[in-house]
Coordinates of all heavy atoms in Angstrom, one line a residue:
M765 N -4.3 -0.8 -18.3 CA -4.5 0.1 -17.2 C -4.8 1.6 -17.7 O -4.3 2.0 -18.6 CB -3.2 0.2 -16.3 CG -2.9 -1.1 -15.5 SD -1.3 -1.0 -14.5 CE -2.0 0.0 -13.3
G766 N -5.8 2.1 -17.1 CA -6.3 3.4 -17.4 C -5.3 4.4 -17.0 O -4.3 4.2 -16.2
K767 N -5.5 5.7 -17.2 CA -4.8 6.8 -17.1 C -4.5 6.9 -15.5 O -3.5 7.3 -15.0 CB -5.4 8.0 -17.6 CG -4.5 9.3 -17.4 CD -5.1 10.5 -18.1 CE -4.3 11.8 -17.9 NZ -4.9 13.0 -18.5
H768 N -5.6 6.7 -14.7 CA -5.5 7.0 -13.3 C -5.5 5.8 -12.4 O -5.8 5.9 -11.3 CB -6.7 7.9 -12.8 CG -6.7 9.2 -13.4 ND1 -5.8 10.2 -13.2 CD2 -7.5 9.7 -14.4 CE1 -6.1 11.3 -13.9 NE2 -7.1 11.0 -14.7
S769 N -5.2 4.6 -12.9 CA -5.0 3.5 -12.3 C -3.8 3.4 -11.4 O -2.8 4.0 -11.7 CB -5.0 2.2 -13.2 OG -6.2 2.2 -13.9
R770 N -3.9 2.7 -10.2 CA -2.7 2.5 -9.4 C -2.4 1.0 -9.5 O -3.3 0.2 -9.8 CB -3.0 2.8 -8.0 CG -4.1 2.0 -7.3 CD -4.0 2.3 -5.8 NE -5.1 1.5 -5.1 CZ -4.9 0.1 -4.8 NH1 -3.7 -0.3 -5.0 NH2 -5.8 -0.5 -4.1
P771 N -1.2 0.7 -9.3 CA -0.7 -0.8 -9.3 C -1.4 -1.6 -8.4 O -1.6 -1.1 -7.2 CB 0.8 -0.7 -9.3 CG 1.0 0.6 -8.6 CD 0.0 1.6 -9.0
G772 N -1.5 -2.8 -8.6 CA -1.9 -3.7 -7.6 C -3.5 -4.0 -7.7 O -4.2 -3.5 -8.6
P773 N -4.0 -5.0 -7.0 CA -5.4 -5.4 -7.0 C -6.3 -4.3 -6.7 O -6.0 -3.5 -5.8 CB -5.5 -6.6 -6.1 CG -4.2 -7.0 -5.8 CD -3.3 -5.8 -6.1
S774 N -7.5 -4.2 -7.4 CA -8.4 -3.1 -7.2 C -9.2 -3.2 -5.9 O -9.8 -2.3 -5.4 CB -9.3 -3.0 -8.3 OG -9.9 -4.1 -8.5
N775 N -9.1 -4.5 -5.2 CA -10.0 -4.7 -4.1 C -9.2 -4.6 -2.9 O -9.6 -4.9 -1.8 CB -10.6 -6.1 -4.2 CG -9.6 -7.2 -4.3 OD1 -8.4 -6.9 -4.5 ND2 -9.9 -8.4 -3.9
Q776 N -8.1 -4.0 -2.9 CA -7.1 -3.9 -1.7 C -6.7 -2.4 -1.5 O -6.6 -1.7 -2.4 CB -5.9 -4.8 -1.8 CG -6.1 -6.2 -1.8 CD -4.9 -7.1 -2.0 OE1 -3.8 -6.6 -2.1 NE2 -5.0 -8.4 -2.0
P777 N -6.7 -2.0 -0.3 CA -6.3 -0.6 0.0 C -4.9 -0.4 -0.5 O -4.1 -1.2 -0.5 CB -6.4 -0.5 1.4 CG -6.3 -1.9 2.0 CD -6.9 -2.7 0.9
S778 N -4.7 0.9 -0.7 CA -3.3 1.4 -1.1 C -2.3 1.2 0.1 O -2.7 1.3 1.2 CB -3.4 2.8 -1.4 OG -2.1 3.3 -1.8
R779 N -1.1 0.8 -0.4 CA -0.1 0.7 0.7 C 0.9 1.9 0.8 O 1.9 2.0 1.3 CB 0.9 -0.5 0.2 CG 0.3 -1.9 0.2 CD 0.3 -2.3 1.6 NE 1.6 -2.5 2.2 CZ 1.9 -2.9 3.5 NH1 0.9 -2.8 4.4 NH2 3.1 -3.1 3.8
A780 N 0.3 3.0 0.3 CA 1.0 4.3 0.3 C 1.0 4.8 1.8 O 0.1 4.7 2.4 CB 0.1 5.4 -0.3
V781 N 2.1 5.2 2.3 CA 2.5 5.5 3.6 C 3.2 6.8 3.6 O 3.9 7.2 2.6 CB 3.4 4.6 4.3 CG1 2.7 3.1 4.4 CG2 4.7 4.3 3.6
P782 N 3.1 7.5 4.7 CA 3.8 9.0 4.7 C 5.3 8.7 4.7 O 5.8 7.6 5.0 CB 3.4 9.5 6.1 CG 2.7 8.4 6.8 CD 2.3 7.3 5.9
R783 N 6.0 9.7 4.3 CA 7.5 9.6 4.2 C 8.1 9.4 5.6 O 7.5 9.8 6.6 CB 8.0 10.8 3.8 CG 7.7 11.1 2.3 CD 8.6 12.3 1.8 NE 8.4 12.5 0.3 CZ 9.1 11.9 -0.6 NH1 10.0 11.1 -0.2 NH2 8.9 12.1 -1.8
A784 N 9.2 8.8 5.6 CA 9.9 8.3 6.9 C 10.3 9.6 7.6 O 10.6 10.6 7.0 CB 11.1 7.5 6.7
D785 N 10.2 9.5 8.8 CA 10.7 10.7 9.7 C 12.2 10.8 9.7 O 12.9 9.9 10.0 CB 10.1 10.4 11.2 CG 10.5 11.6 12.1 OD1 10.9 12.6 11.7 OD2 10.4 11.2 13.3
T786 N 12.7 11.9 9.2 CA 14.1 12.1 9.1 C 14.7 12.3 10.4 O 16.0 12.1 10.5 CB 14.4 13.4 8.2 OG1 13.8 14.4 8.7 CG2 13.9 13.1 6.8
D787 N 14.1 12.7 11.4 CA 14.7 12.7 12.8 C 14.9 11.4 13.5 O 15.5 11.4 14.5 CB 13.9 13.7 13.6 CG 13.8 15.1 13.0 OD1 14.8 15.5 12.4 OD2 12.8 15.8 13.3
N788 N 14.1 10.4 13.1 CA 14.1 9.2 13.6 C 15.1 8.2 12.9 O 14.8 7.7 11.8 CB 12.7 8.5 13.8 CG 12.8 7.1 14.5 OD1 13.8 6.7 14.9 ND2 11.5 6.6 14.6
P789 N 16.3 7.8 13.4 CA 17.1 7.0 12.7 C 16.7 5.5 12.5 O 17.1 4.8 11.5 CB 18.5 6.9 13.5 CG 18.0 7.3 15.0 CD 16.8 8.2 14.7
L790 N 15.6 5.2 13.2 CA 15.0 3.7 13.1 C 13.8 3.7 12.3 O 13.2 2.7 12.2 CB 14.7 3.1 14.5 CG 16.0 3.0 15.4 CD1 15.5 2.5 16.8 CD2 17.0 2.1 14.8
A791 N 13.4 4.8 11.6 CA 12.2 4.8 10.8 C 12.2 3.8 9.8 O 11.3 3.2 9.4 CB 12.0 6.3 10.3
P792 N 13.2 3.7 8.9 CA 13.2 2.6 7.9 C 13.1 1.1 8.4 O 12.4 0.4 7.9 CB 14.6 2.6 7.2 CG 15.0 4.0 7.5 CD 14.5 4.3 8.9
Y793 N 13.6 1.0 9.6 CA 13.4 -0.4 10.2 C 12.1 -0.6 10.7 O 11.4 -1.6 10.6 CB 14.4 -0.4 11.5 CG 14.3 -1.7 12.4 CD1 14.8 -2.9 11.9 CD2 13.7 -1.7 13.5 CE1 14.6 -4.1 12.6 CE2 13.5 -2.7 14.4 CZ 13.9 -3.9 13.8 OH 13.8 -5.1 14.6
D794 N 11.4 0.5 11.3 CA 10.0 0.3 11.7 C 9.1 0.2 10.6 O 8.1 -0.6 10.8 CB 9.7 1.7 12.6 CG 10.3 1.8 13.9 OD1 10.8 0.8 14.4 OD2 10.4 2.9 14.4
K795 N 9.3 0.8 9.4 CA 8.6 0.6 8.3 C 8.6 -0.9 7.9 O 7.6 -1.5 7.5 CB 8.9 1.6 7.2 CG 8.0 1.6 6.0 CD 8.6 2.5 4.9 CE 7.9 2.4 3.7 NZ 8.4 3.3 2.6
R796 N 9.8 -1.5 7.8 CA 9.8 -2.9 7.4 C 9.1 -3.9 8.3 O 8.8 -5.0 8.0 CB 11.3 -3.4 7.3 CG 12.0 -2.7 6.1 CD 13.3 -3.4 5.9 NE 14.2 -3.4 7.0 CZ 15.2 -2.5 7.3 NH1 15.2 -1.5 6.5 NH2 15.9 -2.7 8.3
R797 N 9.0 -3.5 9.5 CA 8.3 -4.4 10.5 C 6.8 -4.2 10.6 O 6.1 -4.9 11.4 CB 8.8 -4.1 11.9 CG 10.3 -4.5 12.0 CD 10.9 -4.6 13.4 NE 9.9 -5.5 14.2 CZ 10.2 -5.8 15.4 NH1 11.3 -5.4 16.0 NH2 9.4 -6.6 16.1
R798 N 6.1 -3.5 9.7 CA 4.7 -3.3 9.6 C 4.2 -4.5 9.0 O 4.7 -5.2 8.3 CB 4.4 -2.2 8.6 CG 4.5 -0.8 9.2 CD 4.2 0.3 8.3 NE 3.0 -0.1 7.4 CZ 3.0 0.3 6.1 NH1 3.9 0.7 5.5 NH2 1.8 0.0 5.5
P799 N 3.0 -5.0 9.6 CA 2.4 -6.3 9.2 C 1.8 -6.1 7.7 O 1.5 -5.0 7.4 CB 1.3 -6.5 10.0 CG 1.0 -5.2 10.7 CD 2.2 -4.4 10.7
P800 N 1.7 -7.2 6.9 CA 1.1 -7.0 5.6 C -0.3 -6.4 5.8 O -1.2 -6.8 6.5 CB 1.0 -8.5 5.2 CG 1.9 -9.2 6.0 CD 2.0 -8.5 7.3
M801 N -0.6 -5.5 4.8 CA -1.9 -4.9 4.8 C -2.3 -4.1 6.1 O -3.4 -3.9 6.4 CB -3.0 -5.7 4.4 CG -2.7 -6.4 2.9 SD -2.6 -5.2 1.7 CE -4.1 -4.6 1.5
D802 N -1.3 -3.9 6.9 CA -1.4 -3.3 8.2 C -2.6 -4.0 9.2 O -3.4 -3.4 9.9 CB -2.0 -1.8 8.1 CG -0.8 -0.9 7.6 OD1 0.4 -1.3 7.9 OD2 -1.1 0.0 6.9
I803 N -2.6 -5.3 9.1 CA -3.5 -6.0 9.8 C -2.7 -6.8 10.9 O -1.8 -7.6 10.7 CB -4.1 -7.3 9.0 CG1 -4.9 -6.5 7.9 CG2 -5.0 -8.1 9.8 CD1 -5.5 -7.4 6.8
H804 N -2.8 -6.3 12.3 CA -2.1 -6.8 13.4 C -2.6 -8.0 13.9 O -1.9 -8.9 14.4 CB -2.0 -5.7 14.5 CG -1.3 -4.5 14.1 ND1 0.2 -4.5 14.2 CD2 -1.6 -3.4 13.5 CE1 0.6 -3.3 13.9 NE2 -0.5 -2.6 13.5
R805 N -3.9 -8.2 13.8 CA -4.6 -9.6 14.3 C -5.4 -10.2 13.1 O -6.0 -9.4 12.3 CB -5.4 -9.3 15.4 CG -4.7 -8.8 16.7 CD -5.8 -8.6 17.8 NE -5.2 -8.5 19.1 CZ -5.9 -8.4 20.2 NH1 -7.1 -8.2 20.2 NH2 -5.2 -8.3 21.3
R806 N -5.4 -11.5 13.1 CA -6.3 -12.2 12.1 C -6.7 -13.4 12.7 O -6.2 -14.0 13.7 CB -5.5 -12.3 10.8 CG -4.5 -13.3 10.9 CD -3.7 -13.4 9.5 NE -2.7 -14.4 9.5 CZ -1.9 -14.7 8.6 NH1 -1.9 -14.1 7.5 NH2 -1.0 -15.8 8.7
H807 N -7.7 -14.0 12.0 CA -8.2 -15.3 12.4 C -8.2 -16.2 11.2 O -8.4 -15.7 10.1 CB -9.5 -15.3 13.1 CG -10.7 -14.7 12.3 ND1 -11.4 -15.4 11.4 CD2 -11.1 -13.4 12.1 CE1 -12.3 -14.6 10.8 NE2 -12.1 -13.3 11.2
R808 N -8.2 -17.7 11.4 CA -8.3 -18.5 10.3 C -9.1 -19.7 10.9 O -9.0 -20.1 12.0 CB -6.8 -19.1 10.0 CG -5.8 -18.0 9.5 CD -6.2 -17.7 8.0 NE -5.1 -16.7 7.6 CZ -5.7 -15.5 7.2 NH1 -6.8 -15.2 7.4 NH2 -4.7 -14.7 6.6
P809 N -9.9 -20.4 9.9 CA -10.6 -21.5 10.3 C -9.5 -22.6 10.8 O -8.5 -22.8 10.3 CB -11.2 -22.0 9.1 CG -11.3 -20.8 8.2 CD -10.1 -20.0 8.5
A810 N -9.9 -23.3 11.9 CA -9.1 -24.3 12.6 C -8.8 -25.4 11.5 O -7.7 -26.1 11.6 CB -9.6 -24.8 13.9
H811 N -9.7 -25.7 10.7 CA -9.7 -27.0 9.9 C -9.5 -26.6 8.4 O -9.8 -27.3 7.5 CB -10.9 -28.0 10.0 CG -11.0 -28.4 11.4 ND1 -10.0 -29.2 12.0 CD2 -12.0 -28.0 12.4 CE1 -10.3 -29.4 13.3 NE2 -11.5 -28.7 13.5
G812 N -9.1 -25.4 8.0 CA -9.0 -24.9 6.7 C -10.2 -24.5 6.1 O -11.3 -24.6 6.6
G813 N -10.1 -24.1 4.9 CA -11.3 -23.6 4.0 C -11.4 -22.2 4.1 O -10.6 -21.3 4.7
A814 N -12.6 -21.7 3.5 CA -12.8 -20.2 3.5 C -13.2 -19.8 4.8 O -13.9 -20.5 5.6 CB -13.9 -20.0 2.3
S815 N -12.9 -18.6 5.1 CA -13.2 -18.0 6.4 C -14.7 -17.7 6.7 O -15.1 -17.8 8.0 CB -12.3 -16.8 6.7 OG -12.8 -15.7 5.8
H816 N -15.5 -17.6 5.7 CA -16.9 -17.4 5.9 C -17.8 -18.5 6.0 O -18.9 -18.5 6.3 CB -17.3 -16.4 4.7 CG -17.4 -17.1 3.5 ND1 -16.2 -17.2 2.7 CD2 -18.3 -17.6 2.7 CE1 -16.4 -17.8 1.6 NE2 -17.8 -18.2 1.6
L817 N -17.2 -19.7 5.6 CA -17.9 -20.9 5.7 C -18.0 -21.5 7.2 O -17.0 -21.4 7.8 CB -17.4 -21.9 4.6 CG -17.4 -21.4 3.3 CD1 -16.7 -22.5 2.4 CD2 -18.9 -21.3 2.8
R818 N -18.9 -22.3 7.4 CA -19.1 -23.0 8.7 C -18.8 -21.9 9.9 O -17.8 -22.2 10.7 CB -18.2 -24.1 8.8 CG -18.5 -25.2 7.7 CD -17.7 -26.4 7.7 NE -16.1 -26.2 7.7 CZ -15.4 -26.0 6.7 NH1 -16.0 -26.0 5.4 NH2 -14.2 -25.8 6.6
P819 N -19.6 -20.9 10.1 CA -19.4 -20.0 11.1 C -19.3 -20.5 12.6 O -18.8 -19.7 13.4 CB -20.3 -18.8 11.0 CG -21.4 -19.5 10.2 CD -20.8 -20.6 9.4
D820 N -19.8 -21.6 12.8 CA -19.9 -22.2 14.1 C -18.7 -23.0 14.6 O -18.5 -23.5 15.7 CB -21.2 -23.0 14.4 CG -22.4 -22.0 14.2 OD1 -22.3 -20.9 14.6 OD2 -23.4 -22.7 13.8
E821 N -17.7 -23.2 13.6 CA -16.5 -23.9 13.9 C -15.4 -23.1 14.6 O -15.4 -21.8 14.4 CB -16.0 -24.7 12.7 CG -16.9 -25.7 12.3 CD -16.3 -26.5 11.0 OE1 -15.2 -26.3 10.7 OE2 -17.1 -27.5 10.5
P822 N -14.5 -23.7 15.2 CA -13.4 -23.0 15.8 C -12.6 -22.2 15.0 O -12.3 -22.7 13.8 CB -12.7 -24.0 16.8 CG -13.1 -25.2 16.3 CD -14.4 -25.1 15.4
R823 N -11.8 -21.2 15.5 CA -11.0 -20.4 14.6 C -9.6 -20.3 15.4 O -9.6 -20.2 16.6 CB -11.5 -18.9 14.4 CG -12.9 -18.9 14.0 CD -12.8 -19.3 12.4 NE -14.2 -19.6 12.0 CZ -14.6 -19.6 10.7 NH1 -13.7 -19.2 9.9 NH2 -15.8 -19.8 10.4
V824 N -8.5 -20.2 14.7 CA -7.1 -19.9 15.2 C -6.9 -18.5 15.1 O -7.1 -17.9 14.1 CB -6.1 -20.7 14.5 CG1 -4.8 -20.4 14.9 CG2 -6.4 -22.3 14.5
L825 N -6.6 -17.9 16.3 CA -6.4 -16.3 16.2 C -4.7 -16.2 16.2 O -4.0 -16.9 16.8 CB -6.8 -15.8 17.7 CG -8.3 -16.1 18.1 CD1 -8.4 -15.6 19.4 CD2 -9.1 -15.6 17.1
E826 N -4.4 -15.3 15.3 CA -3.0 -15.0 15.0 C -2.8 -13.5 15.2 O -3.6 -12.7 15.0 CB -2.7 -15.4 13.7 CG -2.8 -16.9 13.3 CD -2.4 -17.2 12.0 OE1 -2.7 -16.4 11.0 OE2 -2.1 -18.4 11.7
E827 N -1.5 -13.2 15.8 CA -1.1 -11.9 16.1 C 0.2 -11.5 15.5 O 1.1 -12.5 15.6 CB -1.2 -11.5 17.7 CG -1.2 -10.2 18.0 CD -1.5 -9.9 19.4 OE1 -1.3 -10.8 20.3 OE2 -2.1 -8.9 19.7
W828 N 0.4 -10.4 14.9 CA 1.7 -10.0 14.3 C 2.7 -9.6 15.4 O 2.4 -8.9 16.3 CB 1.5 -8.8 13.4 CG 2.8 -8.3 12.7 CD1 3.5 -7.2 13.0 CD2 3.3 -8.9 11.5 NE1 4.5 -7.1 12.2 CE2 4.4 -8.1 11.3 CE3 3.1 -10.0 10.8 CZ2 5.2 -8.4 10.1 CZ3 3.8 -10.3 9.8 CH2 5.0 -9.5 9.4
N829 N 4.0 -10.3 15.4 CA 4.9 -10.0 16.4 C 6.1 -9.2 15.8 O 7.1 -9.1 16.5 CB 5.5 -11.4 17.0 CG 6.3 -12.2 15.9 OD1 6.5 -11.7 14.8 ND2 6.8 -13.3 16.3
G830 N 6.1 -8.6 14.7 CA 7.0 -7.8 14.2 C 7.7 -8.5 13.1 O 8.4 -7.8 12.2
F831 N 7.6 -9.8 12.9 CA 8.2 -10.6 11.8 C 7.3 -11.4 11.1 O 7.5 -11.7 9.9 CB 9.4 -11.3 12.5 CG 10.5 -10.5 13.1 CD1 10.7 -10.3 14.4 CD2 11.4 -9.8 12.2 CE1 11.6 -9.5 15.0 CE2 12.3 -9.0 12.7 CZ 12.4 -8.8 14.1
T832 N 6.3 -12.1 11.8 CA 5.4 -13.0 11.3 C 4.2 -13.2 12.3 O 4.2 -12.6 13.2 CB 6.1 -14.4 11.3 OG1 5.3 -15.3 10.6 CG2 6.4 -15.0 12.6
Y833 N 3.3 -13.8 11.8 CA 2.0 -14.0 12.5 C 2.3 -15.2 13.5 O 2.8 -16.3 13.0 CB 0.8 -14.3 11.7 CG 0.3 -12.9 11.0 CD1 0.6 -12.8 9.7 CD2 -0.5 -12.1 11.7 CE1 0.1 -11.6 9.1 CE2 -1.1 -10.9 11.2 CZ -0.7 -10.6 9.8 OH -1.1 -9.6 9.2
Q834 N 2.0 -15.2 14.8 CA 2.2 -16.2 15.6 C 0.8 -16.5 16.3 O 0.0 -15.6 16.5 CB 3.2 -15.9 16.6 CG 2.7 -14.8 17.6 CD 3.9 -14.5 18.6 OE1 5.0 -14.9 18.5 NE2 3.5 -13.8 19.7
P835 N 0.5 -17.8 16.6 CA -0.7 -18.2 17.2 C -0.9 -17.5 18.6 O 0.1 -17.4 19.4 CB -0.6 -19.8 17.5 CG 0.5 -20.1 16.5 CD 1.4 -18.9 16.4
A836 N -2.1 -16.9 18.8 CA -2.4 -16.3 20.0 C -3.6 -16.9 20.8 O -3.9 -16.4 21.9 CB -2.8 -14.8 19.6
G837 N -4.2 -18.0 20.2 CA -5.2 -18.6 21.0 C -6.2 -19.2 20.0 O -5.9 -19.2 18.8
T838 N -7.5 -19.5 20.5 CA -8.6 -19.9 19.6 C -9.8 -19.2 20.0 O -10.0 -18.8 21.1 CB -8.7 -21.6 19.8 OG1 -9.1 -21.7 21.1 CG2 -7.4 -22.3 19.4
A839 N -10.8 -19.3 19.2 CA -12.1 -18.8 19.4 C -13.1 -19.8 19.1 O -12.8 -20.7 18.1 CB -12.3 -17.5 18.5
S840 N -14.2 -19.8 19.7 CA -15.1 -20.9 19.4 C -16.0 -20.7 18.2 O -16.6 -21.7 17.6 CB -16.1 -20.9 20.6 OG -16.9 -19.7 20.8
S841 N -16.1 -19.5 17.6 CA -16.9 -19.3 16.5 C -16.3 -18.0 15.7 O -15.4 -17.4 16.2 CB -18.4 -18.9 16.9 OG -18.3 -17.8 17.5
L842 N -17.0 -17.9 14.6 CA -16.5 -16.8 13.7 C -16.8 -15.5 14.4 O -16.0 -14.5 14.4 CB -17.1 -16.8 12.3 CG -17.0 -15.7 11.4 CD1 -15.5 -15.6 11.0 CD2 -17.8 -15.8 10.2
A843 N -17.9 -15.3 15.0 CA -18.3 -14.1 15.7 C -17.3 -13.8 16.8 O -16.9 -12.5 16.9 CB -19.8 -14.1 16.2
A844 N -16.9 -14.8 17.5 CA -16.0 -14.5 18.8 C -14.6 -14.1 18.1 O -14.1 -13.2 18.6 CB -15.8 -15.7 19.5
A845 N -14.2 -14.7 17.0 CA -13.0 -14.4 16.4 C -12.9 -13.0 15.8 O -11.9 -12.2 15.9 CB -12.6 -15.3 15.3
Q846 N -14.0 -12.5 15.3 CA -14.1 -11.1 14.7 C -14.1 -10.2 15.7 O -13.4 -9.1 15.7 CB -15.4 -11.1 13.9 CG -15.3 -11.7 12.6 CD -16.5 -11.8 11.7 OE1 -17.7 -11.6 12.3 NE2 -16.5 -11.9 10.5
R847 N -14.8 -10.5 17.0 CA -14.7 -9.6 18.2 C -13.2 -9.4 18.7 O -12.9 -8.3 18.9 CB -15.7 -10.1 19.2 CG -17.0 -9.7 19.1 CD -17.8 -9.9 20.3 NE -17.7 -11.3 20.9 CZ -18.5 -12.4 20.5 NH1 -19.5 -12.1 19.6 NH2 -18.2 -13.5 21.0
W848 N -12.5 -10.5 18.8 CA -11.1 -10.4 19.1 C -10.3 -9.6 18.2 O -9.5 -8.8 18.6 CB -10.6 -11.7 19.3 CG -9.1 -11.9 19.7 CD1 -8.6 -11.7 21.0 CD2 -8.0 -12.0 18.8 NE1 -7.3 -11.7 20.9 CE2 -6.9 -11.9 19.6 CE3 -7.8 -12.2 17.5 CZ2 -5.5 -12.1 19.1 CZ3 -6.5 -12.2 16.9 CH2 -5.3 -12.3 17.8
V849 N -10.5 -9.8 16.8 CA -9.7 -9.0 15.9 C -9.9 -7.5 16.0 O -9.0 -6.8 16.0 CB -10.1 -9.5 14.5 CG1 -9.5 -8.5 13.4 CG2 -9.4 -10.8 14.2
N850 N -11.2 -7.1 16.2 CA -11.6 -5.7 16.3 C -11.4 -5.1 17.7 O -11.5 -3.9 17.8 CB -13.1 -5.6 16.0 CG -13.4 -6.0 14.5 OD1 -12.5 -5.8 13.7 ND2 -14.6 -6.6 14.2
E851 N -10.9 -5.9 18.6 CA -10.4 -5.2 19.9 C -9.3 -4.1 19.8 O -9.3 -3.2 20.5 CB -10.1 -6.3 20.9 CG -11.2 -7.1 21.6 CD -10.7 -8.1 22.4 OE1 -9.4 -8.3 22.6 OE2 -11.4 -8.9 23.1
L852 N -8.4 -4.5 18.9 CA -7.3 -3.7 18.6 C -7.8 -2.5 17.7 O -8.0 -2.7 16.5 CB -6.2 -4.5 17.9 CG -4.9 -3.7 17.8 CD1 -4.2 -3.5 19.2 CD2 -4.0 -4.6 17.1
Q853 N -7.9 -1.3 18.3 CA -8.4 -0.2 17.5 C -7.3 0.5 16.6 O -6.3 0.2 16.7 CB -8.9 0.9 18.6 CG -10.1 0.4 19.4 CD -11.3 0.0 18.6 OE1 -11.6 0.7 17.6 NE2 -11.9 -1.1 19.0
V854 N -7.8 1.2 15.6 CA -6.9 1.8 14.7 C -5.9 2.7 15.5 O -6.5 3.5 16.3 CB -7.7 2.7 13.7 CG1 -6.8 3.5 12.7 CG2 -8.6 1.9 12.9
G855 N -4.7 2.8 15.1 CA -3.7 3.5 15.8 C -3.0 2.8 17.0 O -2.0 3.2 17.4
D856 N -3.7 1.8 17.4 CA -3.2 1.1 18.7 C -1.9 0.1 18.1 O -2.0 -0.4 17.0 CB -4.1 0.2 19.2 CG -5.0 1.2 20.1 OD1 -4.8 2.3 20.3 OD2 -6.1 0.5 20.5
T857 N -1.1 -0.1 18.9 CA -0.1 -1.2 18.6 C -0.2 -2.3 19.5 O -0.5 -2.0 20.7 CB 1.3 -0.7 18.6 OG1 1.6 -0.1 19.8 CG2 1.5 0.4 17.4
P858 N 0.1 -3.6 19.1 CA -0.2 -4.7 20.0 C 0.9 -4.6 21.0 O 2.0 -4.2 20.7 CB 0.1 -5.9 19.1 CG 0.5 -5.4 17.9 CD 0.3 -3.8 17.7
T859 N 0.6 -5.0 22.2 CA 1.6 -5.0 23.3 C 2.5 -6.2 23.3 O 2.1 -7.3 22.7 CB 0.8 -5.1 24.7 OG1 0.0 -6.2 24.7 CG2 -0.1 -3.7 24.9
A860 N 3.6 -6.1 23.7 CA 4.6 -7.2 23.7 C 4.1 -8.2 24.9 O 3.8 -7.9 26.0 CB 6.0 -6.7 24.1
R861 N 4.3 -9.5 24.6 CA 3.9 -10.6 25.6 C 5.0 -11.2 26.0 O 6.2 -11.4 25.5 CB 2.9 -11.6 24.9 CG 1.8 -10.9 24.5 CD 0.8 -11.9 23.9 NE -0.3 -11.2 23.4 CZ -1.6 -11.5 23.6 NH1 -1.9 -12.4 24.6 NH2 -2.7 -10.8 23.1

């Protein structure tokens, strides 16, 4: 590792987060409930394989519920799944269902 290298894979964003709010007693709990890589919604191919292959096949949509990803529906193609993932803008939090 070089002098200025950070730990972890070079192709992933840093997990550095601001310090916990000292006025909020639940701040450490909230921090643990963050989704991996801060991705609240994701999609997976219905029949497995790489996500960029076979873009016309259906996708399983998954949403972070605070503990794990849970199925939220299906999309008919890769483009439809990507639109669904991108509906949740930066800074928004998913609504409870």
Side-chain angles (χ1 to χ4, degrees):
M765 290 179 76
K767 182 177 179 183
H768 299 285
S769 294
R770 65 173 183 80
S774 60
N775 65 343
Q776 294 180 356
S778 174
R779 290 286 290 170
V781 295
R783 291 193 176 267
D785 182 12
T786 57
D787 296 332
N788 181 1
L790 297 177
Y793 173 75
D794 291 338
K795 183 179 174 184
R796 285 193 308 266
R797 292 193 55 173
R798 287 180 35 223
M801 301 303 294
D802 290 329
I803 298 172
H804 291 276
R805 289 179 168 181
R806 69 182 186 184
H807 61 87
R808 299 283 181 247
H811 303 292
S815 64
H816 65 285
L817 299 176
R818 301 181 308 272
D820 295 330
E821 290 190 4
R823 308 285 162 158
V824 175
L825 306 175
E826 298 175 332
E827 196 165 28
W828 183 255
N829 69 1
F831 298 101
T832 186
Y833 286 101
Q834 65 182 15
T838 59
S840 59
S841 66
L842 175 61
Q846 289 174 336
R847 279 193 303 271
W848 179 81
V849 167
N850 293 328
E851 283 177 0
L852 191 63
Q853 298 298 320
V854 175
D856 291 345
T857 55
T859 57
R861 294 181 189 239

